[in-house]
Amino acid sequence: MQRYIDAAKVRRNSRLGTAFSLAGLALMIAGIVLAFTRQQEFFLILAVSFSGLTLSQLGMILRNRWGRHPRMDEMLDEALKGLDDRYAIFHYLLGASHALFTPAGTFALCTSDADGEIHYQDGTWTRTRPKPGLFTRSRLQRLPDPTAQVQADARRLAQTLQRRLQLDHEPPVRPVLVFVDPRAQLSLEETPFPAVHLKKLKAYLRSLPRARGLTPDQVSSLVPARFRQE
């Protein structure tokens, strides 16, 4: 499988997450110091402490997405290992986080790290989480509806392809929601878009019938010169 990734973006966002975390920690320490030395400056203490908390939260979000291993792109690459060169995946390059080109067409892969037993019924996504203790019951939780994010990823990819390839119309792009947590178990009924577990993604793609998609030359033209296949 051909694999392309904006490695500079990954490094930049990882470093930014670390910087935000350190800056947030410094501001929270400053807020504590001010609370003891300038107690009359209530609004200053509040502003410094709140800024530190906000930066720390932003840093944690960035580090969790871009700094931890395996990242989402690494998990997808591992799951799709063994596919031939008719398949090409682009990470963080074409509008969608993960754009996959296959003999069955073009896909925008959207990932979810939800665990537990995942259900979809009558337009509602829920999960039953594992029992946290011996004497507690499993908990049923409603999940945020991923439809808007999934459709937006597919739309951005289609618009990017139309612009980059100078097409008269947006090429068809199919979204796929991929659950990456090993503890996730899917129990889905007629989802509005395909949803599969990471470990079954490769088999799902291989099972699809051939469809008209981008040509190999078109896919190759999407790779900027500064990026190299890894």
Side-chain angles (χ1 to χ4, degrees):
M1 182 181 69
Q2 303 175 61
R3 174 183 179 270
Y4 304 94
I5 183 171
D6 190 343
K9 182 176 183 179
V10 174
R11 289 192 298 269
R12 181 173 63 250
N13 287 337
S14 178
R15 291 169 181 169
L16 192 61
T18 300
F20 278 0
S21 295
L22 293 175
L25 178 61
L27 285 173
M28 286 191 289
I29 293 174
I32 295 173
V33 173
L34 288 172
F36 284 100
T37 59
R38 301 178 63 178
Q39 298 179 8
Q40 71 279 10
E41 300 287 351
F42 173 77
F43 290 105
L44 175 62
I45 296 170
L46 183 63
V48 171
S49 300
F50 180 76
S51 299
L53 180 61
T54 301
L55 283 176
S56 293
Q57 291 297 316
L58 288 174
M60 182 176 66
I61 292 172
L62 287 171
R63 289 172 65 191
N64 283 342
R65 179 175 182 184
W66 302 100
R68 71 176 184 180
H69 295 279
R71 296 186 310 268
M72 291 296 183
D73 58 276
E74 293 171 333
M75 287 188 278
L76 289 171
D77 290 342
E78 182 65 26
L80 298 177
K81 186 180 293 184
L83 295 176
D84 58 43
D85 282 347
R86 296 176 301 163
Y87 297 80
I89 191 165
F90 289 67
H91 299 295
Y92 319 120
L93 287 168
L94 298 175
S97 294
H98 315 286
L100 180 64
F101 301 94
T102 79
T106 303
F107 298 87
L109 303 182
C110 305
T111 56
S112 170
D113 60 359
D115 62 354
E117 187 173 349
I118 312 297
H119 308 268
Y120 177 83
Q121 189 174 16
D122 299 328
T124 302
W125 295 82
T126 58
R127 69 174 171 183
T128 304
R129 302 201 69 179
K131 297 180 181 180
L134 182 61
F135 300 103
T136 56
R137 297 179 178 179
S138 299
R139 295 174 294 168
L140 181 66
Q141 297 179 330
R142 184 166 182 169
L143 292 173
D145 190 347
T147 302
Q149 176 190 349
V150 168
Q151 292 178 343
D153 259 22
R155 190 180 312 113
R156 285 195 299 269
L157 175 55
Q159 292 171 346
T160 301
L161 294 178
Q162 181 185 16
R163 183 178 68 255
R164 294 275 297 274
L165 297 174
Q166 299 181 350
L167 303 176
D168 295 331
H169 59 278
E170 293 182 4
V173 174
R174 286 183 281 178
V176 178
L177 180 61
V178 183
F179 290 88
V180 301
D181 195 295
R183 298 166 295 179
Q185 300 177 0
L186 307 188
S187 178
L188 310 175
E189 296 181 6
E190 298 296 328
T191 55
F193 41 80
V196 299
H197 194 278
L198 180 66
K199 62 185 178 183
K200 296 183 178 180
L201 178 60
K202 182 163 62 175
Y204 166 75
L205 293 171
R206 282 175 166 167
S207 71
L208 296 174
R210 292 183 64 89
R212 186 175 181 180
L214 300 186
T215 67
D217 286 343
Q218 287 177 316
V219 174
S220 296
S221 71
L222 296 170
V223 184
R226 64 182 181 277
F227 296 119
R228 293 294 183 264
Q229 183 176 348
E230 297 186 2

